[in-house]
């Protein structure tokens, strides 16, 4: 157990990040359990504590009598300096035990630019960085989250990856580890990894060999033992009503990113936006029943004292029973002054009635995501909404009492022209005009946030060449020059960060050396602009004799073997390429929940059905 010197805590900002003892945290005697798990997110406490997936796994694992699950996050740079100066190893918040003493360390990998923090946390813990250097006496290093669907750039550092949803597979993993420990760790660490490979959704990189063509592209990725499957298919929870939800989340002592109740309405999305990785990874759509949601909401209000519930899902407005659920939650929780909010609304789903319901207790924020500035480009990405949809939705919002709107866009999408970029400005000004039409005066506030498009694996645009960072910056200047009204706020992403994100998003196993070199030269917190060291990364690529443009800004052919072809989301490569070609032709594909099956392959591959309670009712 680590003893924290108060003098050290007094020298760092936000010392509550490191002290633990929060309400609802679970402390167990490690001598009474078979398996100990450190759940990690490679970012600061405020980000890690906002991750719903880790909250769910924390409760599931601690509900087991044989398992103790604890939390650990990346220490900020000031605390890291103190830890290294005073030889304090990375520790968990519940028991203050060193992470190296745990059986399993599970990292949630939400963002490629957090990889350097993984290495930093392993180093602070005293755990060998490379899986090849670990033995049976060191923790099993596991990765989960969306980045695992192209796990190759981080493969050298992880013993295994979980593909897909974790509620059930984590329990399978714990049981295998418990049995292995009970056997006296028979067959060593390699034996454990081969046993884990038998679990559906578990990918063990060391059990696969990768070869490359002379042009640098992947030739093949094949198992090197009988226990490994040629293709690892993601794990899916069949019925969300039958699995545990985080009804007793740990309550922080300081403000966190999402400091409210997060109530997941459903999982999956079949709208088919061609840029969206999550829309593929979390298919098919499975809804929770209204009764389940009300029960969970009441438990969360009672156990946390929060007074805001955010109805979270990839497209929350598509929940089939949304108006009824919103009204029920408002009626049941009005006495406790609990407000209901939707983090983002589809432009074609908004209604005056729903806006008024969400306003009954307390005004919440309003966000729309048109994604592209022109109808042509929205058709390319299969957004399926029109400018009239936006106008009608914004008008309804202003009539219902809102005066500020946030609009999210991307630039650098396939086939984009300057006209498409300038269309973003035109939409912003149109929103201001609509407010004046409704209110008879000016006064609306419009925030425009524009991300740099990064093609991601398992999407129809995975073959697309990402824009060069210089081209992104030119487009940003072009748009900024048009946004002169003081009632419009323009936010944009750093193009160089997006460039490196693109390289790692579609990278292969050779990028592990780039990652290691960049970390050794000081890379960490790369998602934070004040700590992002672009030149350090470029030098690391040079040292490894690799070109980041080969990974980020190169168009792929359909025949090319992708580094993630052996990792299956359930959607077939043929479907994704068909969607890519359909997008280039500016044609739409209908939502299979509302029309015919689009033959993505997920339901057939995973033997799971869409669960839509509105249709069942």
């Amino acid at each position: 157990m680590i003893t924290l010197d108060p003098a050290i805590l007094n020298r760092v900002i936000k010392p509550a990040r490191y002290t633990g003892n929060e309400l609802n945290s679970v402390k167990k005697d490690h001598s009474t359990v078979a398996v100990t798990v450190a759940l990690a997110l490679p970012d600061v406490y405020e980000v890690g504590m906002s991750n719903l997936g880790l909250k769910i796994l924390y409760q599931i694992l601690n509900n087991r009598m044989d398992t103790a699950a604890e939390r650990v996050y990346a220490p900020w740079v000031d605390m890291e300096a103190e830890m290294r100066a005073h030889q304090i190893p990375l520790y968990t918040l519940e028991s203050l035990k060193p992470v190296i003493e745990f059986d399993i360390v599970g990292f949630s990998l939400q963002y490629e630019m957090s990889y350097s923090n993984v290495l930093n946390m392993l180093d602070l813990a005293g755990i060998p960085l490379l899986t090849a250097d670990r033995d049976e006496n060191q923790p099993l290093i596991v990765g989960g989250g969306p980045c695992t669907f192209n796990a190759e750039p981080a493969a050298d550092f992880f013993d295994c990856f979980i593909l897909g949803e974790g509620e059930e597979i984590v329990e399978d993993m714990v049981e295998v580890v418990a049995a292995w420990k009970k056997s006296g760790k028979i067959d060593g660490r390699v034996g454990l990894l081969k046993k884990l490979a038998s679990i559906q959704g578990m990918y063990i990189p060391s059990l696969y060999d990768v070869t490359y063509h002379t042009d640098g592209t992947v030739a093949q990725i094949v198992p090197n033992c009988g226990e490994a499957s040629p293709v690892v298919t993601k794990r899916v929870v069949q019925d969300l009503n039958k699995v545990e939800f985080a009804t007793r989340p740990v309550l922080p002592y300081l403000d966190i990113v999402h400091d409210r109740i997060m109530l997941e309405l459903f999982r999956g999305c079949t709208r088919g936006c061609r840029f969206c990785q999550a829309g593929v990874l979390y298919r098919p759509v499975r809804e929770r029943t209204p009764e389940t949601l009300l029960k969970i909401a009441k438990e969360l209000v009672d156990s946390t004292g929060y007074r805001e519930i955010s109805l979270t899902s990839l497209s929350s407005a598509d929940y089939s029973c949304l108006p009824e659920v919103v009204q029920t939650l408002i009626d049941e929780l009005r006495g406790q002054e609990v407000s209901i909010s939707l983090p983002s609304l589809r432009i074609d789903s908004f209604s005056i009635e729903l806006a008024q319901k969400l306003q009954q207790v307390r005004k919440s924020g309003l966000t729309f995501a048109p994604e592209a500035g022109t109808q042509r480009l929205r058709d390319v990405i299969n957004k399926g909404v029109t400018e009239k949809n936006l106008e009608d939705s914004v008008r309804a919002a202003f009539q219902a009492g809102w005066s500020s709107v946030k609009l999210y866009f991307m630039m650098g999408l396939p086939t984009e022209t300057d006209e498409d970029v300038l269309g973003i400005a035109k939409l912003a000004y149109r929103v201001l005009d609509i407010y004046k039409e409704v209110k008879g005066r000016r006064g609306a506030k419009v925030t425009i946030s524009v991300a740099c498009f990064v093609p991601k694996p398992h999407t129809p645009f995975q073959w697309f060449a990402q824009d060069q960072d210089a081209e992104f910056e030119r487009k940003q200047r072009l748009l900024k020059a048009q946004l002169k009204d003081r009632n419009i706020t323009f936010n944009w992403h750093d193009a160089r960060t997006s460039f490196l994100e693109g390289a790692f998003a579609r990278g292969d196993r050779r990028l592990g050396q780039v990652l290691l070199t960049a970390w050794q030269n000081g890379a960490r917190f790369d998602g934070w602009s004040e700590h992002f060291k672009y030149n350090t990364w470029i030098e690391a690529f040079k040292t490894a004799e690799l070109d980041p443009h080969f990974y980020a800004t190169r168009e792929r052919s359909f025949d090319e073997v992708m580094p993630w072809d052996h990792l299956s989301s359930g959607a077939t490569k043929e479907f994704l390429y068909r969607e890519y070609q359909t997008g280039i032709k500016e044609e739409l594909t209908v939502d299979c929940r509302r029309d015919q099956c689009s033959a993505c392959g997920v339901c057939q591959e995973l033997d799971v059905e869409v669960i839509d309670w509105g249709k069942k009712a």
Side-chain angles (χ1 to χ4, degrees):
M1 178 176 175
I2 303 298
T3 301
L4 293 176
D5 184 348
I8 291 176
L9 295 176
N10 285 335
R11 290 195 294 267
V12 300
I13 61 172
K14 300 184 180 181
R17 289 168 166 167
Y18 313 109
T19 55
N21 285 314
E22 306 100 324
L23 185 67
N24 292 339
S25 60
V26 179
K27 297 183 180 182
K28 293 186 179 182
D29 182 347
H30 287 201
S31 67
T32 66
V33 299
V35 178
T36 55
V37 182
L39 294 173
L41 191 134
D43 211 320
V44 290
Y45 177 95
E46 297 94 313
V47 176
M49 282 287 288
S50 299
N51 183 274
L52 180 58
L54 288 183
K55 294 174 191 278
I56 294 172
L57 298 184
Y58 183 85
Q59 184 159 322
I60 287 173
L61 291 171
N62 279 317
N63 281 350
R64 295 177 61 101
M65 297 299 293
D66 66 348
T67 305
E70 305 188 5
R71 297 161 298 132
V72 60
Y73 308 114
W76 191 242
V77 291
D78 55 352
M79 185 61 173
E80 179 195 344
E82 295 284 355
M83 292 171 72
R84 293 191 184 280
H86 296 88
Q87 297 183 322
I88 301 171
L90 189 70
Y91 59 88
T92 59
L93 292 172
E94 279 74 10
S95 64
L96 303 186
K97 286 183 178 291
V99 167
I100 196 172
E101 295 180 9
F102 283 70
D103 297 312
I104 301 169
V105 181
F107 285 92
S108 178
L109 303 174
Q110 300 292 317
Y111 179 40
E112 292 84 357
M113 298 309 291
S114 70
Y115 289 165
S116 61
N117 274 8
V118 172
L119 271 59
N120 205 45
M121 292 173 72
L122 292 175
D123 184 65
L124 283 168
I127 299 170
L129 300 185
L130 298 172
T131 182
D133 294 338
R134 300 181 199 126
D135 59 30
E136 61 270 21
N137 297 314
Q138 285 146 347
L140 183 75
I141 307 302
V142 184
C147 289
T148 63
F149 282 87
N150 179 25
E152 295 306 283
D156 292 343
F157 312 101
F158 282 85
D159 299 308
C160 51
F161 292 99
I162 289 173
L163 267 64
E165 296 162 354
E167 286 95 335
E168 295 168 343
I169 193 172
V170 290
E171 297 202 68
D172 296 342
M173 176 181 65
V174 163
E175 288 170 7
V176 169
V177 172
W180 175 71
K181 288 180 65 181
K182 188 175 181 179
S183 73
K185 300 184 177 180
I186 190 169
D187 297 326
R189 194 178 190 87
V190 173
L192 171 62
L193 295 177
K194 288 183 176 180
K195 290 181 175 69
L196 290 169
S198 67
I199 300 173
Q200 181 187 337
M202 191 71 77
Y203 171 48
I204 318 296
S206 61
L207 303 185
Y208 295 77
D209 293 330
V210 186
T211 56
Y212 301 90
H213 293 297
T214 54
D215 65 359
T217 59
V218 174
Q220 61 178 0
I221 304 172
V222 294
N224 56 34
C225 66
E227 290 82 357
S229 171
V231 175
V232 180
T233 301
K234 74 179 181 184
R235 193 69 170 264
V236 171
V237 173
Q238 298 271 350
D239 188 347
L240 294 178
N241 297 286
K242 296 180 180 178
V243 294
E244 189 83 12
F245 192 73
T247 55
R248 301 182 303 277
V250 179
L251 295 179
Y253 283 132
L254 67 162
D255 289 338
I256 60 176
V257 175
H258 299 299
D259 204 4
R260 62 187 70 89
I261 290 171
M262 290 184 286
L263 184 61
E264 185 188 41
L265 300 175
F266 65 96
R267 204 168 290 172
C269 179
T270 51
R271 287 284 183 169
C273 297
R274 296 180 178 119
F275 59 83
C276 182
Q277 185 185 50
V280 176
L281 300 187
Y282 296 107
R283 290 187 181 200
V285 171
R286 289 143 294 143
E287 294 188 340
R288 286 188 169 88
T289 65
E291 295 78 17
T292 298
L293 292 170
L294 179 60
K295 179 177 180 291
I296 291 173
K298 287 182 174 180
E299 290 179 15
L300 279 162
V301 170
D302 289 343
S303 68
T304 66
Y306 278 128
R307 292 296 176 260
E308 181 184 354
I309 296 177
S310 178
L311 304 179
T312 62
S313 290
L314 289 177
S315 181
S316 297
D318 284 337
Y319 180 64
S320 62
C321 303
L322 183 62
E324 298 88 341
V325 165
V326 168
Q327 188 61 60
T328 300
L329 290 172
I330 289 172
D331 292 343
E332 294 285 339
L333 301 173
R334 181 181 284 111
Q336 294 163 283
E337 297 186 349
V338 176
S339 68
I340 313 298
S341 66
L342 289 168
S344 178
L345 290 169
R346 275 191 64 87
I347 293 169
D348 57 353
S349 301
F350 195 78
S351 71
I352 295 174
E353 181 182 0
L354 183 57
Q356 291 170 336
K357 285 181 180 179
L358 293 174
Q359 249 186 295
Q360 284 180 12
V361 178
R362 185 165 63 240
K363 186 74 65 71
S364 55
L366 188 60
T367 302
F368 295 114
E371 308 293 3
T374 63
Q375 191 59 48
R376 185 199 70 80
L377 194 54
R378 284 191 290 274
D379 290 345
V380 169
I381 65 176
N382 205 47
K383 187 64 182 176
V385 297
T386 66
E387 187 166 334
K388 186 178 185 303
N389 293 144
L390 176 62
E391 291 179 357
D392 291 345
S393 299
V394 170
R395 189 181 305 276
F398 291 153
Q399 290 171 340
W402 273 275
S403 60
S404 62
V405 173
K406 293 181 181 179
L407 300 175
Y408 286 118
F409 296 90
M410 287 181 288
M411 63 171 49
L413 290 162
T415 77
E416 182 180 74
T417 66
D418 285 357
E419 181 181 354
D420 299 310
V421 175
L422 295 174
I424 296 173
K426 291 179 181 177
L427 282 179
Y429 283 109
R430 180 61 186 136
V431 171
L432 292 181
D433 291 342
I434 291 172
Y435 184 86
K436 187 175 181 180
E437 292 170 10
V438 171
K439 298 294 186 180
R441 56 180 170 80
R442 292 175 57 82
K445 299 292 184 183
V446 179
T447 299
I448 302 296
S449 294
V450 183
C452 298
F453 172 61
V454 177
K456 290 296 176 86
H458 304 280
T459 70
F461 291 157
Q462 66 179 3
W463 291 275
F464 176 68
Q466 182 177 340
D467 271 2
Q468 302 269 354
D469 51 354
E471 177 65 0
F472 276 129
E473 290 168 351
R474 185 193 68 80
K475 291 177 179 178
Q476 288 167 347
R477 291 191 300 270
L478 176 68
L479 180 56
K480 186 177 181 180
Q482 299 298 312
L483 299 173
K484 298 296 186 181
D485 195 296
R486 58 188 177 88
N487 291 314
I488 298 176
T489 300
F490 175 37
N491 300 322
W492 63 92
H493 285 196
D494 179 65
R496 297 186 304 175
T497 305
S498 298
F499 169 57
L500 287 175
E501 178 188 348
F504 275 88
R506 294 188 289 174
D508 55 44
R509 200 171 289 195
R510 293 172 297 183
L511 292 190
Q513 185 56 53
V514 176
L515 174 56
L516 180 60
T517 301
W519 170 76
Q520 289 171 334
N521 291 330
R524 61 202 15 77
F525 285 107
D526 295 295
W528 296 73
S529 58
E530 64 266 43
H531 293 289
F532 177 53
K533 299 180 175 67
Y534 178 74
N535 291 334
T536 296
W537 283 101
I538 297 304
E539 287 302 315
F541 271 97
K542 290 179 180 178
T543 300
E545 298 183 346
L546 294 171
D547 182 2
H549 291 279
F550 174 81
Y551 298 102
T553 62
R554 178 177 61 88
E555 184 87 11
R556 274 79 164 167
S557 69
F558 176 75
D559 296 330
E560 180 175 334
V561 175
M562 300 295 197
W564 55 88
D565 275 352
H566 61 305
L567 306 175
S568 174
S569 66
T572 67
K573 194 171 182 180
E574 291 74 19
F575 163 75
L576 296 175
Y577 193 67
R578 187 168 69 246
E579 277 296 289
Y580 183 28
Q581 294 173 311
T582 303
I584 298 302
K585 291 186 287 187
E586 302 173 16
E587 296 176 359
L588 297 175
T589 298
V590 296
D591 184 345
C592 66
R593 289 178 74 191
R594 293 158 177 81
D595 207 301
Q596 65 186 12
C597 173
S598 57
C600 72
V602 171
C603 294
Q604 297 85 351
E605 173 72 19
L606 302 176
D607 191 25
V608 61
E609 66 173 338
V610 172
I611 298 179
D612 187 324
W613 289 102
K615 290 183 179 179
K616 287 180 179 288

